[in-house]
Amino acid sequence: MIILGIDPGTVRMGYAVIQTQNNQVQHLLSIGYWDLSSIVSHPEKLKVIYNELKTIICQFQPNALAIESPFYGKNVQSMLKLGRAQGVAMSVAFDNSLSVTEYSPKKIKLSITGNGNASKEQVFAMLKNILSFDYHDKHLDATDALAVAVCHCFQFNNTAINTSDKEKKISRKKHSWKSFIEKFPDRKIK
């Protein structure tokens, strides 16, 4: 399976493409980011994102796109722009029949390091242990995208995690109001 990981942004948008086999990350096929800081027009930035992602998808033929979900910040305008960039990335994926999965920053950090509050540098160090790659750019947008792709590999292939999620849903159903009423039909609210 080939996974395209995206760290959405309108200043820099990170991407990474990995190949997985037998539930493990095998190869880092490509990593980088698009520097959009020199583009003034927001619609033009979105157009560049669309075209660059389309090129990456055509080149590597991924099966899935994993993308970091935006987190709420103090600046609503930044959040809106980030959401648009994420939407464009998802649209390109849908246009190319890729499955799309969103992961929260905390879920990604937890999946890679075991700590949902890990720093970007800690995530980067763990990724180097997992994949043994050479990357020296001061901007971590590309390695953030790699973390998203690796997280998807771990989540997609880890049946224990997927089973755990199913068990939680079943557990919630067991403890729902409906099940309570069925179990205790004689109880009434006064």
Side-chain angles (χ1 to χ4, degrees):
M1 173 184 243
I2 297 176
I3 301 168
L4 169 58
I6 296 292
D7 177 34
T10 56
V11 176
R12 280 180 303 278
M13 186 162 196
Y15 69 90
V17 183
I18 61 170
Q19 184 171 13
T20 66
Q21 186 177 15
N22 297 330
N23 303 337
Q24 293 184 11
V25 180
Q26 293 295 307
H27 302 287
L28 173 59
L29 302 175
S30 184
I31 187 168
Y33 63 89
W34 299 294
D35 188 344
L36 307 166
S37 61
S38 64
I39 303 169
V40 178
S41 165
H42 186 69
E44 190 63 32
K45 288 182 181 196
L46 298 177
K47 182 179 176 184
V48 169
I49 290 168
Y50 184 92
N51 290 332
E52 292 293 346
L53 278 173
K54 193 172 179 180
T55 301
I56 290 288
I57 290 169
C58 287
Q59 182 179 357
F60 293 101
Q61 299 292 306
N63 308 93
L65 177 120
I67 190 164
E68 184 176 321
S69 61
F71 59 92
Y72 178 74
K74 293 179 182 177
N75 187 331
V76 176
Q77 283 297 319
S78 294
M79 180 72 174
L80 179 63
K81 289 177 181 177
L82 185 62
R84 288 177 182 160
Q86 183 189 35
V88 167
M90 293 168 100
S91 294
V92 177
F94 294 140
D95 284 348
N96 289 277
S97 303
L98 274 65
S99 65
V100 175
T101 309
E102 249 184 313
Y103 294 100
S104 71
K106 194 170 200 99
K107 178 79 170 180
I108 296 163
K109 291 174 183 179
L110 182 64
S111 178
I112 303 300
T113 68
N115 177 2
N117 296 315
S119 69
K120 287 179 177 260
E121 292 76 18
Q122 289 171 317
V123 171
F124 176 64
M126 189 60 75
L127 287 170
K128 286 187 97 162
N129 286 336
I130 294 168
L131 270 166
S132 210
F133 65 100
D134 195 24
Y135 187 80
H136 298 289
D137 200 287
K138 65 180 179 179
H139 301 294
L140 296 179
D141 305 273
T143 54
D144 287 351
L146 178 58
V148 178
V150 172
C151 172
H152 184 66
C153 174
F154 290 168
Q155 300 304 311
F156 184 81
N157 294 317
N158 190 339
T159 54
I161 289 172
N162 293 334
T163 302
S164 161
D165 289 343
K166 287 176 188 172
E167 288 171 359
K168 286 178 188 174
K169 287 178 186 173
I170 291 167
S171 175
R172 278 190 222 119
K173 285 181 182 177
K174 286 181 184 175
H175 299 292
S176 70
W177 283 113
K178 184 178 178 182
S179 65
F180 179 82
I181 291 167
E182 288 170 357
K183 191 173 181 180
F184 303 102
D186 56 332
R187 295 236 178 139
K188 295 181 181 177
I189 300 174
K190 295 180 182 179

